[in-house]
Amino acid sequence: MKRISIFIFLFLNILIFNSCKEDIDESNLYTFTGETIEDYLENRSEQFSSFNYILKRINYDKILAAYGTYTCFAPDNDAVQAYIDSLYDDTTNKEFPHNGMTSRSLEGLTDSLCEDIALFHLLNTEVMSVYMGNGMTVKTILGREITTSFDSIAKTVAINRDAKIQKEGLDVDLENGVLHEISHVITRSNRLIAGEMESHSEYSIFSNALKATGLADTLTETSHSFGVIEKSYGFYVPEKCEVGYTLFAETDDVLKEKGIVDVETMAHYADSVYANCQEWYDYVRNNNIQISRGTDYKNPWNVLSMFLRYHVLKYKIPYAKLTNDHNQINKVTLVEYYETMLPYTLVKVTKNKNVLRLNRWEANSSLTNQVAELGTKDMHTVMFEGVELVGLKGQVQPANGYIHPIKDVLVYNKDVPRGALNERMRFDDTVLFGEMMSNSFRRIADSEVKAMNGGKEGSYPAAQLSGNYICMPPGFLQNLRIYNGSSTLLLYLPGQSSGWSNYQGDEFLGEGNYDFAMRLPPVPDGTYELRMGYTAEGKRGMVQIYMGTSSELSSMKAIDIPLDMRIIPANNSNLTPDVYTGWCDWSKLDDKGVESDANMRNLGYMRGPLYYTVGVGSGNYARSNPKDLRRIIYKGKLDQGEHWLRFKTVIDDNSAQFHLDYIELCPENVYNSTTYVEDMY
């Protein structure tokens, strides 16, 4: 019999729904039947025979009758028939009338439609409703994501807004997973991002501008090819690399508030922003790029094209994952930085009090006038509240990305490089590679990786390393280049349930005689400290780090001496600093480690930040963990453009690991401020 705790799940469900101040029939929060998912559907044919027919068409009834761990969202017969009617009556698909159906019936569904419907209602892992009530995005077996939310009117969980979990069919626990009875078939769009936007009348101005600039024909990529890995040691290797786009878009109503009523007036507005952008857009100035102010809208440096490109990320991120809520302490703001399709520009996303904003900034960001605390409110005047996102309910999900409506006009003006990005910027390892987000690997559960890998764990004997990790094939990550083929093994460790001392929980490991390079996020011109966050362990190795303006080896030059990741700072009881790093227990020092921090910097090291803890909610700050270190690997000028880091092992030992947690880029006016000091967060 499958292990389950009835009372824990019941209690958690009550908590989550009470927190929404809604009443749920508690007697229906948990059911146990002793059946498999297929048994449950077969034994209730008067309710689920249609959905079960679809499963049988693709032989998934046999899979759901066998061992495994799944989540099944099961629409009843009426819901399936309503969906069949909507497919058959759809007149928008000119290429395939009736969406390819031969009749208005189950039998009229094509095999491909049956596969899409069935697999879009199944997850490779078990998800109870308690985790869905506050909103989450999960990947289905079809490979497309679904988003959950709490519907305050229906007083239950909604899937992609329309399909509601029936209160009498909530959390049905079965031998091989959990089933949720739902009111509608979960709908999905097969349109690409521009086509989906065109189908929404509220985006008519933005949609027409995409066509005028040619971006409608550009935002069509859905996947890219990659190489074959010779030996994966049993770790999960992706079979397909999905790519896509995230679009922050103004509705017609928002644009009209700025006097934008059509493509021409949008171009006029864009001209007011970008005509003289050489003043703050360093890449344009440094490369003597001529800005077009005419009607050649398809010119990528036309002001209208620039305006639109700053709205687009070349990877797909659902609303729930635009920021990562994991092991940060309560009082900090969640922050992420994403590269846009306007060359070498970033957009900043913040989350505070459950509100997401773009390019919000405060005076003296990353600085403080206190010790071991954030700066007082009076020194952090809000200079720009940011462009607020509408929220989860406004999200639109095309086949190759997401459209997020915003409440004001988004631009890359002087306040972005000089304000929003004029702070210490911390990039989690996954944010460095768009494919990690497009393929839903960021924040993926270990159990889901195991399910995708056929229930197996990988094992790399040389390093005595085993677990549910993702092995990266060559060419899968386009911002990464491997120089020596199979001698480099790169693994992504999600770590969402592991309690590791990592920013956002996850990490990248390099194994073998590794030699690879990764592209740095672009930053405005300036003098920066480039820092690498890692955890020291005895099984790590020693790495030489190089920097170049491309991934070509000829451009790479060594920076800093080799970094020995095996050195774990001594935690001396008498508070004597570690001889290699200068580390000691800051919390026992009268000055909270201020002088010690300066000594560590002189040795090229920094403690981990106060921003996050070891594991979730442990109270053990990364700053207090001697293994949590930041290495200052470069201090100097960076221009807004292409920069790469190369990592090459300097010891001949296949068991020695390379570790990467995050990258920091900190401008000189923060780490060397003459008025305040950089905060410890």
Side-chain angles (χ1 to χ4, degrees), residues 2 34 58 112 115 123 143 205 241 254 274 315 345 369 375 397 416 512 526 529 559 566 583 614 640:
K2 188 176 120 176
I58 65 167
S112 62
E115 182 174 338
L123 311 180
I205 301 172
C241 184
V254 171
Y274 292 102
Y315 31 85
T345 62
N369 55 357
Q397 186 180 358
V416 180
E529 274 190 354
I559 54 173
R566 299 168 297 183
W583 195 95
V614 180
Q640 189 174 21

Side-chain angles (χ1 to χ4, degrees), residues 176-192:
N176 57 349
V178 62
L179 180 143
H180 306 285
E181 299 178 9
I182 57 176
S183 61
H184 293 81
V185 170
I186 305 173
T187 56
R188 71 206 176 284
S189 173
N190 289 323
R191 301 184 187 94
L192 298 182

Side-chain angles (χ1 to χ4, degrees), residues 312-315 337-341 344-347 519 522:
V312 187
L313 314 181
K314 201 176 178 180
Y315 31 85
Y337 309 88
Y338 297 114
E339 187 170 1
T340 79
M341 286 187 66
Y344 302 107
T345 62
L346 297 173
V347 63
R519 182 176 175 270

Side-chain angles (χ1 to χ4, degrees), residues 50-61 63-64 73 80 83 87 99 101 106 108-123 140-144 185-186 188 190 239-240 242:
S50 295
F51 183 61
N52 205 19
Y53 169 88
I54 293 171
L55 292 171
K56 290 178 179 179
R57 279 277 297 273
I58 65 167
N59 293 319
Y60 239 76
D61 59 318
I63 293 174
L64 297 180
F73 299 100
V80 172
Y83 186 66
L87 289 177
N99 288 287
M101 294 179 62
L106 283 168
L109 290 168
T110 63
D111 289 343
S112 62
L113 280 172
C114 286
E115 182 174 338
D116 284 359
I117 295 168
L119 301 188
F120 199 52
H121 288 72
L122 297 172
L123 311 180
T140 65
I141 296 180
L142 181 63
R144 299 275 299 276
V185 170
I186 305 173
R188 71 206 176 284
N190 289 323
E239 297 177 356
K240 178 182 179 182
E242 296 184 13

